[in-house]
Amino acid sequence: MFDALLDRIEDLVNDMSDKDWSWWPFLWLRPAREARLSLRRSFVMTALYGLPLALVLCVGFRLTMPRAHAEQAALVALVSVPLAFLFHLSVVIGPMWNRRAERLARRRTLRS
């Protein structure tokens, strides 16, 4: 029963992560389906997606909040947004991607 649930979660996560739009504009970062999603790649993705989003939030805070509050909110955003990306990549997407990659690699090995 647990395996069936994990299979379903894997299918849902990988269905989303297989879409080109979910990697835009860094489609070149997406590994092959049978290749592992490494922690190094996750760090690069965190920098390329998380830091710009955090900076956009900082600008938004600066434009919409009093200065003292904006500085605090910006600091929180600069730390929490990239950490949230890294957490999501390493706890949700990475394990599901790697689970499929290992299964596909095993199938390829058995066929050879």
Side-chain angles (χ1 to χ4, degrees):
M1 179 157 174
F2 180 72
D3 286 338
L5 177 62
L6 196 55
D7 289 344
R8 182 69 181 134
I9 293 170
E10 177 190 326
D11 290 341
L12 290 170
V13 169
N14 286 331
D15 184 52
M16 293 298 289
S17 61
D18 283 340
K19 307 278 190 232
D20 287 352
W21 61 261
S22 66
W23 292 84
W24 186 88
F26 306 110
L27 191 58
W28 53 271
L29 269 175
R30 181 173 57 191
R33 294 176 79 190
E34 64 276 353
R36 292 183 54 82
L37 182 59
S38 67
L39 189 56
R40 179 178 182 215
R41 189 179 305 253
S42 294
F43 277 117
V44 170
M45 292 168 57
T46 295
L48 292 174
Y49 287 102
L51 289 176
L53 178 58
L55 291 174
V56 168
L57 287 173
C58 289
V59 170
F61 294 148
R62 182 67 180 105
L63 294 174
T64 61
M65 300 173 102
R67 184 177 181 107
H69 290 84
E71 289 174 359
Q72 290 174 341
L75 181 59
V76 170
L78 284 172
V79 172
S80 63
V81 171
L83 284 177
F85 266 89
L86 184 60
F87 177 82
H88 186 70
L89 284 166
S90 60
V91 173
V92 178
I93 295 173
M96 296 298 109
W97 185 283
N98 292 339
R99 188 173 187 258
R100 177 183 63 184
E102 289 167 7
R103 187 176 57 254
L104 293 175
R106 271 195 312 269
R107 284 182 191 162
R108 177 181 278 176
T109 304
L110 292 174
R111 289 181 189 162
S112 299

